[in-house]
């Protein structure tokens, strides 16, 4: 669907009102009905970095009346779930910007003492497994109203997955939650199609053909040339190798431009996951941001601090997606492998508006995306991309069809810095140095220029990068390039500091206890001379999260790519010993 296909519903005029969260706010708007009510585990911030705001503003743009119920109480008389009544079309549910279990617990299973997405960082404002808890309540109170789930928690649990916190395989979240529909990934395009279909009164059979939806049905799925049928949930629970094979198929199709429909039997029925919408075009991406976001927390919070908002309020998102293919990362599984970039004019329009925001002091905290320097990058021959089945465009080596020039990105940086009111534009997002550098040197002149400008103009004292480990055997299980790339990066980085008389620090991120990592590997990391003089404070113990290759390896002890066994450290004490090696330099 192209931008020209979108026609506004003229029944409701667009405005920049803040979405209502209470009966009084609904009455103030003069509404006698609500089309969609969104329940979310986060505080509501009307900013494009928050998925709830993105979907709410997008649907509002097409004339739908949207209300939001942020962080509803689930332990009382359920008044938060009752207060707005039933919507005209459906309830929408997400856990917030994070999986609720990752939000709540550390890798060691300890309860976190703060929640960045809650006013004043207060913990305990959402339940464990928030999507399922919210859905069950809504289906009990309003059994005839459709419930649509989405966001990170639903998206990454759409099929059988390993749950680290219960240490078991769980079926699709559709089974536990009882939701009618699951919209996975970035949801603007499919949610609009689904909303229109529900409004038109389409049957379930008609809606089942829409892209980027998953649903649970009774009976047996149809066999067809464009359908891949996985091992059942019950088979996966009995046979870890079957689960590993399932995941290999899921991941392969998640990284294809034209994947097949995926069906996974469960109980007396099956979960079906339809192929996604095509990657958003530049004009579509611009339309997602060309909406009247206030870029502020909801007035209901009356000035209370929301830590996650403080982190992103002065940031600018340039694109979506990541083709890095790291085995422990969920970005591609949710945002997609193919880079979807905004136009320079759209980004500059937002920068100019940010420069005029009250309280803005001239410094953009982050001009980027999951991987900041992938902006505008794609394959040289799009036909080859259309049939590609690679999980990563960078590992084990860079795809020869990948255009890695940083010229367009450098031009964007300079255009942003020339905007009146902008003092600095910093890159706080991750940077893939193997996009412009190899152990033998720079990939092209633009890469050398990019690193120099990144260090001198776009780094606020510390350049953070993610080699993740020093040992190539461990890095192979992570899907990360050889540590020799980092060694070359440090050479070039130190050279720039010497030549310019600057004192920017290089801060590497590392992971302990990843599948394939022994204590001896951590000992080698701790003694690696290339890390001399670097303060090792950006370290973490591996946390298995749903729908990653690494979590599958952790649970099964099998590499799903090769079906060969892999060492996994599960003993809590030995995991602590691995992490402690970071600090024994």
């Amino acid at each position: 669907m192209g931008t020209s296909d979108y026609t506004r519903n003229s029944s409701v005029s667009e405005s920049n009102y803040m979405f209502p969260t209470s009966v009084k706010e609904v009455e103030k708007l003069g509404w006698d009905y609500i089309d969609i009510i969104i329940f979310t585990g986060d505080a509501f911030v009307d900013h494009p970095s928050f998925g709830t705001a993105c979907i709410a503003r997008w649907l509002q743009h097409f004339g739908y009346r949207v209300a939001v119920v942020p962080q509803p109480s689930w332990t009382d008389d359920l008044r938060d779930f009752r207060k707005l009544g039933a919507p005209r079309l459906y309830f929408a549910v997400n856990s917030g910007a994070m999986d609720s279990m990752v939000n709540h617990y550390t890798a060691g299973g300890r309860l976190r003492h703060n929640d960045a997405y809650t006013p004043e960082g207060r913990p305990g404002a959402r339940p464990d497994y928030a999507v399922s808890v919210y859905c069950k309540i809504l289906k009990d109170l309003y059994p005839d109203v459709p419930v649509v789930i989405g966001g990170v928690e639903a998206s990454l649990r759409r099929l059988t997955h390993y749950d680290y916190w219960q240490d078991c395989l769980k079926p699709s979240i559709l089974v536990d939650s009882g939701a009618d529909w699951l919209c996975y990934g970035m949801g603007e395009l499919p949610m609009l199609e689904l909303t229109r279909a529900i409004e038109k009164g389409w049957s379930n059979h008609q809606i089942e053909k829409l892209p980027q939806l998953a649903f649970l049905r009774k009976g047996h799925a149809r066999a067809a040339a464009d359908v891949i049928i996985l091992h059942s949930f019950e088979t996966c629970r009995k046979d870890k190798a079957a689960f590993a094979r399932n995941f290999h198929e899921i991941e392969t199709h998640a990284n294809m431009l034209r994947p097949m429909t995926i069906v996974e039997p469960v109980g007396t029925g099956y979960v079906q996951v339809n192929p996604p919408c095509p990657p958003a075009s530049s004009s579509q991406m611009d339309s997602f941001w060309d909406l009247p976001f206030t870029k502020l927390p909801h007035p209901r919070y009356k000035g209370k601090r929301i830590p996650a908002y403080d982190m992103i309020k002065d940031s600018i998102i340039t694109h979506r997606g990541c083709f890095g293919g790291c085995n422990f990362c969920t970005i591609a599984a949710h945002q997609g492998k193919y880079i979807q970039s905004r136009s320079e004019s759209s980004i500059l329009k937002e920068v100019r508006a940010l420069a005029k925001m009250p309280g803005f002091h001239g410094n953009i905290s982050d001009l980027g995306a999951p991987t900041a320097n992938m902006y505008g990058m794609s394959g040289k021959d799009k036909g080859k991309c259309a049939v590609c089945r690679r999980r990563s465009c960078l590992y084990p080596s860079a795809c020869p069809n990948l255009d890695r020039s940083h010229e367009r990105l450098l031009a964007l940086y300079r255009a942003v810095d020339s905007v009146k009111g902008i003092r600095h534009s910093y890159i706080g997002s991750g940077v893939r140095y193997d996009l412009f550098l190899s152990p033998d040197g720079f990939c092209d002149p633009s890469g050398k220029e990019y690193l120099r400008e990144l260090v001198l103009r776009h780094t606020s004292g510390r350049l953070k990068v993610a080699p993740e480990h020093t040992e190539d055997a461990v890095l192979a299980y992570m899907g990360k390039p050889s540590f020799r790339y980092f060694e070359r990066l440090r050479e070039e980085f130190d050279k720039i500091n010497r030549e310019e008389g600057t004192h920017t620090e290089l801060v590497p991120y590392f992971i302990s206890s990843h599948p394939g990592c022994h204590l001896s590997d951590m000992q080698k990391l701790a003694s690696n001379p290339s890390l001399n003089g670097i303060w090792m404070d950006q370290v973490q113990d591996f946390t298995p999260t749903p729908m990653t290759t690494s979590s599958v390896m952790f649970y099964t002890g099998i590499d799903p790519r090769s079906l060969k066994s892999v060492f996994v450290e599960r003993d809590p004490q030995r995991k602590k010993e691995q992490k402690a090696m970071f600090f024994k330099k």
Side-chain angles (χ1 to χ4, degrees), residues 76-91:
D76 54 16
D77 61 0
L78 307 180
R79 67 190 67 181
D80 286 341
F81 292 88
R82 302 175 190 270
K83 63 183 180 181
L84 299 182
R88 184 172 70 96
L89 299 178
Y90 61 86
F91 291 109

Side-chain angles (χ1 to χ4, degrees), residues 157-161 170-176 182 264 271:
R157 295 173 181 263
R158 58 187 181 262
L159 291 161
T160 296
H161 57 279
K170 292 175 71 70
S172 165
I173 195 170
L174 285 161
V175 175
D176 286 344
L182 187 160
E264 183 181 69
V271 171

Side-chain angles (χ1 to χ4, degrees), residues 410 413-414 449-458:
L410 283 165
Y413 287 175
R414 291 160 187 166
E449 187 179 4
Y450 177 79
L451 177 60
R452 194 171 195 85
E453 186 155 330
L454 175 67
V455 172
L456 299 177
R457 295 184 58 84
H458 303 287

Side-chain angles (χ1 to χ4, degrees), residues 28 56 73 174 194 203 206 244 265 341 364 429 437 470 503:
K28 187 175 180 180
S73 175
L174 285 161
L194 176 61
S203 67
Q206 290 174 300
S341 300
I364 296 175
S429 309
L437 194 64
T470 60
H503 302 283

